[in-house]
Amino acid sequence: MVTDSRTDEHGALFVTADSEDPRFNQPYIDVREWRDEPADAPVFPGAITTQHGGVAPIKARHLYVHGGFTGTSAKFSFCFPPEEEYQGRFFQATHQLLAGEEATARNVAFALASGGYSVQTNMGGSENPRTAEQSTSGQFDTTIRGYRVNAEAAKFSRVVAADMYGPHRTYGYLYGGSGGAYQTVTSAEMTSGVWDGFIPYVMGSPQSIPNCFTPRVNALRVLKDKWPSILDAIEPGGSGDPYAELNDEERGALEEATRAGFPPRAWFNYIPQGGGPLVLVAQYVPVLDPTYPDDFWSEPGYLGTDPTSSVRAARIQHEATVVEVIPGRRKQLRLSSVPRGDLTAADVIITSGAAAGKTASLGRVASDGRGQVGLVFESVGDTIEITASPTIINSIEAGDEIRIDNSRFLALQTYHRHQFPPANPDFDYPAVYDYFRNSDGTPKYPQREVDIGAAGTLGSTGQIPTGRFNGKMVVVECLLDGDALPWQADWYRKKVEAIEGPRMDEKFRLWYVDNANHTDPTTETQQTHAVAYSGTVQYALRELSAWVEQGVAPPPTSEYRVEEGQVHVPATAADRKGIQPVVDLMVNGGERAQVAVGEAVTFTAQITVPPAPGQVVSAKWDFEGLGTYPDAADLGDPTSEPVHVSTTHAFSKPGTYFPALRVASQREGNPSTPFARSLNFSRVRVVVSE
């Protein structure tokens, strides 16, 4: 029986505090034990879920509760603090690609340190589709992973909390990034009384798939020889004109990516990473629009039939014979020949043998035998690496014929031209899409009949965002995000504003985070060009809980403007608002200095915080540009007043350096806690000669 529940116009279940989900109405507990510290938990391979594995930054005793829902493979875990530390709330992280129901140690530690318990599910287990084919097959109810399993786990957690701490009002907060942002928004719109507040971060829009990624892979292909000059212009102390040395085709590719919303400063990260998450969503196109690749190479109006485009010369269709199948963790094939040219994301089409007609993905082979899919292709002699289902891989034998073909990937690179939304109230975003229209509003390019973006969004959560939600919400969006383009948060803000009007500030905030990417930095290159935003999300969660529980209004929405696809924020913290500190760093009084080896260089900086609770608690120098930030500045006591720091440094070797100062403000002004620290930095250029 279903009580006090209803469905929307599409038949999707609307969940309330008192409703009963017919699929997840029999929760059980199979583990209940006290632990002295949060356990490490795996995340999706590659850590691309915006959730972070690894050990917790603090030890914290807690009651671990594990269970699931009878008759399903849906599972959950709760981690409760001791009664004397509990303040009546829980925090629940979500992402549709999370590997399981075990919350990461960092998320558990944050929840416990914030007076709450953590909740996490496995998004429905076997009922969580993992591929584009599964998501669009109609065989899966994507509302299950979109919000229903999370909602039922949240509701049951309150039952367990009441049993542990006694009857009380338990406040709940759901947060998720990237695909988890879709889930968070849908949960806010399709539930009532389950959660009190929501933080979607690095969020996309119903046109993200595949349009967030295709303009950049097209630019990566066209501009592959021009990146040094482009990056030099963009970096601090550069000319500021990345187009200076480009021909017409190159200029067009860079401009198109920029107008689509890709942040120019984010190019530092995508040269080695290629299409990034594109590999996860690219299959939506052949599944839903199977004639597109053929049309691309044969119909007028597509780049494949443009005689002036370099795409035709980049096309590779190479026939070869499998000489040897090399076993191992990832299957490799030694071929009669391997073609020259860029084979990034090319298909391996088996044309004879038991697997004839099947397609595998071309992986990346390195000299150590390890590989990845979707990155720039490298072969080792005549050997390639492939990935596909075990059935396909195990049926390939020596003597089989194959074709290495990059036609589909080349066609995909400009799919965004042919599938942008029409000018209508449901989605139109003129700041971006007018670039793809003629002056009379008609499309510049032939348009596909299928809406891949909407299908991908429905495949993630079963719903298209409307802007009509229950509870309170803070959106955190990053200005260097090339995977969830920054303007998309403004798109959702406009949807909310259209519904709430002048009442919007009573329930909604949008905070932009500068110098932050789609995930926290891990590599040396990322550490020198971006800061982690996860502490800002934690800061926002605490602001959200104070807003809900105490009526304390959080800092106002960031000031910004969207112009030709790019989000611009004011230079000062006072004008920018939000919660992130701002750093103004100078070297010898400017953004660039030219000095000799051994010459002392003077660095000065001002650190300011916006009108928000945070206080400056940390400032660290990285003079050599290694991303390690080994030298701490002397700040004195935490303060919300402007902080001025200065120092000198001499470089022992010639070269071009990008010294940086990375700072943190902490919501409670506590320099010793690892949580709720909002980071920012500033960089300058120093050219050192003999």
Side-chain angles (χ1 to χ4, degrees):
M1 183 177 70
V2 182
T3 60
D4 190 24
S5 65
R6 62 185 188 273
T7 58
D8 67 3
E9 63 272 21
H10 305 295
L13 188 69
F14 188 91
V15 180
T16 71
D18 299 319
S19 65
E20 184 178 300
D21 190 310
R23 184 80 179 123
F24 307 101
N25 60 0
Q26 298 182 52
Y28 65 85
I29 292 173
D30 54 13
V31 179
R32 186 184 179 108
E33 63 185 24
W34 282 96
R35 294 179 175 180
D36 290 326
E37 59 183 298
D40 190 8
V43 295
F44 190 77
I48 56 177
T49 64
T50 71
Q51 304 293 318
H52 301 280
V55 298
I58 62 170
K59 293 185 177 182
R61 184 164 174 78
H62 61 279
L63 178 67
Y64 171 79
V65 176
H66 179 277
F69 295 95
T70 301
T72 79
S73 61
K75 295 187 171 113
F76 55 76
S77 70
F78 312 143
C79 295
F80 294 95
E83 185 172 3
E84 64 272 16
E85 298 175 12
Y86 180 59
Q87 297 175 17
R89 65 181 69 100
F90 70 83
F91 300 92
Q92 183 171 358
T94 189
H95 193 291
Q96 75 263 30
L97 295 179
L98 285 173
E101 69 277 10
E102 303 297 344
T104 69
R106 291 176 183 273
N107 287 346
V108 172
F110 165 74
L112 299 174
S114 303
Y117 62 88
S118 73
V119 176
Q120 187 169 303
T121 77
N122 66 349
M123 310 301 143
S126 61
E127 296 180 71
N128 181 5
R130 293 293 184 179
T131 66
E133 293 91 338
Q134 291 177 342
S135 295
T136 58
S137 66
Q139 299 175 3
F140 290 82
D141 182 347
T142 53
T143 65
I144 288 176
R145 71 133 170 239
Y147 60 95
R148 285 170 54 193
V149 167
N150 278 340
E152 297 310 313
K155 289 159 66 173
F156 182 61
S157 79
R158 286 189 170 100
V159 175
V160 180
D163 178 67
M164 182 173 179
Y165 304 115
H168 66 284
R169 167 71 159 97
T170 308
Y171 295 92
Y173 306 98
L174 182 71
Y175 64 106
S178 191
Y182 284 132
Q183 293 177 297
T184 303
V185 168
T186 299
S187 299
E189 295 187 354
M190 292 298 295
T191 70
S192 176
V194 178
W195 298 279
D196 299 278
F198 307 86
I199 295 193
Y201 59 96
V202 293
M203 70 180 296
S205 75
Q207 292 299 316
S208 291
I209 297 174
N211 296 352
C212 273
F213 316 111
T214 53
R216 88 170 185 232
V217 293
N218 181 61
L220 285 169
R221 177 186 63 81
V222 173
L223 294 162
K224 59 184 177 182
D225 297 326
K226 297 297 178 67
W227 288 112
S229 66
I230 293 171
L231 291 179
D232 185 73
I234 293 171
E235 290 278 41
S239 68
D241 182 9
Y243 298 96
E245 299 182 19
L246 306 184
N247 62 31
D248 288 345
E249 183 185 31
E250 294 162 345
R251 176 181 290 269
L254 184 58
E255 180 183 1
E256 184 170 76
T258 304
R259 290 295 301 272
F262 189 91
R265 289 182 295 150
W267 282 117
F268 81 88
N269 196 38
Y270 288 101
I271 295 173
Q273 290 196 17
L278 178 62
V279 68
L280 297 175
V281 300
Q283 282 303 109
Y284 276 100
V285 175
V287 169
L288 297 175
D289 194 2
T291 65
Y292 171 72
D294 289 339
D295 292 346
F296 175 87
W297 294 106
S298 61
E299 296 293 331
Y302 295 87
L303 194 63
T305 60
D306 182 352
T308 67
S309 172
S310 62
V311 74
R312 298 186 69 84
R315 189 181 192 186
I316 295 172
Q317 295 177 298
H318 181 81
E319 308 286 341
T321 302
V322 177
V323 175
E324 180 185 6
V325 177
I326 303 172
R329 184 175 59 89
R330 296 171 67 98
K331 187 78 69 175
Q332 296 181 21
L333 304 178
R334 188 161 65 86
L335 303 178
S336 57
S337 60
V338 174
R340 295 181 179 181
D342 185 356
L343 293 173
T344 301
D347 295 318
V348 179
I349 303 169
I350 298 95
T351 56
S352 73
K358 303 296 184 180
T359 299
S361 297
L362 183 64
R364 172 178 179 170
V365 179
S367 57
D368 62 0
R370 300 169 62 188
Q372 290 178 286
V373 178
L375 305 184
V376 176
F377 175 76
E378 295 177 0
S379 63
V380 177
D382 53 7
T383 300
I384 66 169
E385 182 179 283
I386 62 171
T387 60
S389 69
T391 302
I392 295 174
I393 288 181
N394 294 335
S395 62
I396 299 174
E397 298 179 348
D400 289 351
E401 302 292 327
I402 62 100
R403 182 173 75 251
I404 297 177
D405 194 332
N406 66 351
S407 301
R408 182 182 60 85
F409 184 64
L410 292 176
L412 184 66
Q413 292 174 9
T414 46
Y415 193 80
H416 56 278
R417 295 182 178 180
H418 308 286
Q419 194 250 286
F420 64 86
N424 64 61
D426 291 334
F427 187 84
D428 190 28
Y429 198 84
V432 170
Y433 292 109
D434 279 356
Y435 181 76
F436 299 96
R437 299 181 179 120
N438 298 309
S439 58
D440 63 357
T442 59
K444 292 181 180 179
Y445 306 100
Q447 294 299 292
R448 312 302 295 178
E449 294 183 359
V450 62
D451 188 343
I452 301 290
T457 303
L458 288 169
S460 294
T461 66
Q463 295 292 301
I464 302 291
T466 66
R468 189 183 303 277
F469 68 90
N470 299 294
K472 298 185 185 298
M473 180 182 294
V474 178
V475 177
V476 177
E477 196 83 344
C478 298
L479 290 176
L480 263 63
D481 194 341
D483 295 333
L485 305 176
W487 62 261
Q488 295 175 116
D490 179 63
W491 171 82
Y492 188 70
R493 180 193 179 191
K494 285 180 166 56
K495 299 291 284 186
V496 176
E497 186 175 31
I499 291 170
E500 300 294 338
R503 302 186 306 274
M504 181 174 68
D505 283 349
E506 298 175 8
K507 62 186 304 185
F508 182 85
R509 295 289 189 274
L510 166 55
W511 293 333
Y512 275 106
V513 181
D514 198 13
N515 297 309
N517 212 308
H518 194 64
T519 57
D520 283 354
T522 54
T523 68
E524 179 181 308
T525 298
Q526 293 169 355
Q527 293 279 9
T528 57
H529 287 80
V531 297
Y533 65 81
S534 55
T536 301
V537 171
Q538 295 170 350
Y539 189 143
L541 282 165
R542 290 183 176 177
E543 285 293 317
L544 180 65
S545 67
W547 194 10
V548 169
E549 298 166 28
Q550 303 169 35
V552 179
T557 287
S558 298
E559 292 291 336
Y560 64 93
R561 74 181 195 280
V562 183
E563 188 174 283
E564 297 184 337
Q566 295 297 309
V567 177
H568 304 273
V569 294
T572 68
D575 292 337
R576 189 177 299 183
K577 300 180 182 176
I579 60 177
Q580 187 186 30
V582 172
V583 192
D584 294 303
L585 174 64
M586 291 193 295
V587 54
N588 287 354
E591 190 180 34
R592 176 178 179 141
Q594 184 131 7
V595 300
V597 168
E599 180 181 344
V601 182
T602 300
F603 296 93
T604 57
Q606 176 178 270
I607 309 165
T608 54
V609 294
Q615 297 180 329
V616 179
V617 297
S618 173
K620 295 183 178 181
W621 298 97
D622 184 18
F623 299 112
E624 305 291 327
L626 300 178
T628 55
Y629 300 90
D631 301 308
D634 184 8
L635 295 179
D637 294 332
T639 179
S640 57
E641 297 299 318
V643 175
H644 295 85
V645 296
S646 62
T647 191
T648 60
H649 182 78
F651 295 87
S652 60
K653 297 179 181 179
T656 299
Y657 298 85
F658 292 94
L661 178 65
R662 186 173 68 188
V663 309
S665 65
Q666 204 280 329
R667 183 180 181 274
E668 294 81 24
N670 182 357
S672 63
T673 178
F675 301 118
R677 297 164 66 95
S678 183
L679 305 183
N680 204 349
F681 76 167
S682 183
R683 302 165 68 234
V684 291
R685 182 187 304 227
V686 178
V687 180
V688 182
S689 57
E690 290 284 5

